Amino acid sequence: MQKKIQIVQTLLDALPFIKKFRDQVFVIKYGGSAQTDQKLKEQFAQDILLLYTVGIKPVIVHGGGKRITEILNRLHIDTHFIDGQRVTTEEVMEIVEMVLSGDINKEIVSLLNNHGAKAIGISGKDAHFITARPKDFEKFGYTGIIDHIDPAVVHNLLQEQFIPVIAPIAASNKMSHPGYNINADLCASKVAAALKAKKIIFLTDTPGVLDKEGKLISTLTEEKIKLLKADGTISGGMIPKVDACLEAIEGGVEKAHIIDGRVEHSLLLEIFTSEGIGTQVLGG
């Protein structure tokens, strides 16, 4: 009986958050181990289905860099990075689109649908939903910077009760163009801003932003992030994550979260508990 009472209490604890977030758009950047470990993939699907069932509108943006590198190596196609960004030749772009829009996108859509959700996969090329320009063509090739997002495409899908699953491939306004490979974190932040999302949540392979002693920093502001970057506390791969958080906040998103996707049901723990489990970035 005590166990049953605890279950009811857990549901009651989550109730204020369910009421607060009903009908709100949450953009979720899906990556890291949560995207590759089979058990975590199943739990991610369960979490998304629960959000969807209680009236939250999840929009998923996924990466796939490891799978892209694996396929390129298997095909003996040269791939390299500058400042953490992949150099995307036309040959590489073909594989990037095949892996992101074809392989990974459809795998996520099937996973969600098999759990009872109603998911649909798109890329920025669909209805020219996302258009971009070269970051620096001489240096990065078809790696792009987003110029424009048409939020109506996603809003229409949400209105029809779909969960959009977005591959970070952008269209070009030029004819016969292969499109652009977009950094998934920055794509997620741009999509969140365009949709005026309530939250953006980045699933990563770290607990969040850590201080110099390795302890979790639960809350950050733009000012604090600048200080932590200056003293080297925020460095390496965490820099693009916090930059994407700030870009989303500046675009009108209320809160950004960086959480550990290796933790079971990390999304639910972050959204439906007072303490949360990761780092939240606030405006102001």
Side-chain angles (χ1 to χ4, degrees):
M1 182 61 73
Q2 189 60 37
K3 187 176 180 182
K4 290 179 181 177
I5 292 170
Q6 285 177 343
I7 291 170
V8 171
Q9 188 57 52
T10 300
L11 291 170
L12 290 173
D13 289 345
L15 187 57
F17 299 101
I18 292 171
K19 288 167 66 178
K20 181 180 179 181
F21 298 138
R22 185 170 181 80
D23 294 324
Q24 299 293 333
V25 175
F26 284 16
V27 173
I28 296 149
K29 160 56 195 339
Y30 181 42
S33 297
Q35 194 181 316
T36 56
D37 180 275
Q38 190 56 42
K39 184 180 178 184
L40 292 173
K41 286 198 285 189
E42 298 291 334
Q43 290 172 349
F44 171 79
Q46 291 169 353
D47 289 2
I48 294 295
L49 180 60
L50 194 147
L51 297 182
Y52 175 75
T53 303
V54 301
I56 292 169
K57 298 175 179 177
V59 174
I60 298 162
V61 178
H62 65 83
K66 287 182 182 176
R67 185 92 61 92
I68 291 166
T69 300
E70 179 187 315
I71 299 296
L72 288 170
N73 288 338
R74 197 184 302 169
L75 295 172
H76 305 291
I77 297 172
D78 181 52
T79 183
H80 63 285
F81 295 80
I82 299 173
D83 301 328
Q85 292 244 338
R86 189 186 303 273
V87 175
T88 311
T89 64
E90 191 162 358
E91 189 178 25
V92 168
M93 185 66 212
E94 188 177 345
I95 302 303
V96 166
E97 184 161 22
M98 179 186 79
V99 173
L100 291 178
S101 296
D103 183 12
I104 294 175
N105 189 274
K106 300 316 169 196
E107 180 186 56
I108 297 167
V109 168
S110 295
L111 178 70
L112 292 170
N113 288 339
N114 287 339
H115 277 79
K118 186 181 169 187
I120 190 165
I122 60 172
S123 82
K125 284 188 171 183
D126 292 297
H128 270 209
F129 153 52
I130 303 172
T131 55
R133 67 183 190 277
K135 179 181 175 70
D136 178 341
F137 191 78
E138 295 298 318
K139 191 174 180 181
F140 290 100
Y142 292 96
T143 296
I145 296 172
I146 292 174
D147 266 337
H148 177 71
I149 291 180
D150 179 5
V153 175
V154 176
H155 282 308
N156 288 340
L157 292 173
L158 292 172
Q159 194 171 339
E160 294 296 322
Q161 305 296 311
F162 283 107
I163 298 173
V165 180
I166 300 168
I169 301 290
S172 167
N173 290 317
K174 297 177 182 177
M175 298 290 286
S176 304
H177 193 283
Y180 290 105
N181 178 19
I182 306 294
N183 175 278
D185 290 337
L186 295 175
C187 182
S189 69
K190 289 282 193 183
V191 167
L195 294 174
K196 303 301 179 194
K198 182 82 170 177
K199 289 181 182 288
I200 182 169
I201 302 167
F202 294 88
L203 290 174
T204 67
D205 284 345
T206 65
V209 180
L210 308 178
D211 65 18
K212 286 190 180 295
E213 283 71 50
K215 293 178 182 176
L216 179 70
I217 302 171
S218 59
T219 303
L220 285 173
T221 61
E222 183 176 3
E223 187 179 345
K224 195 168 182 183
I225 286 170
K226 285 179 182 176
L227 292 172
L228 294 176
K229 279 184 179 179
D231 72 7
T233 302
I234 295 177
S235 61
M238 189 52 72
I239 290 175
K241 287 279 189 298
V242 295
D243 285 349
C245 287
L246 290 174
E247 185 170 48
I249 296 291
E250 287 164 11
V253 178
E254 192 172 293
K255 282 186 184 179
H257 303 253
I258 299 171
I259 67 172
D260 194 341
R262 299 168 301 180
V263 174
E264 295 187 7
H265 300 294
S266 54
L267 274 174
L268 302 186
L269 289 168
E270 182 68 10
I271 293 167
F272 294 133
T273 64
S274 300
E275 299 82 11
I277 62 164
T279 299
Q280 62 176 352
V281 180
L282 309 177

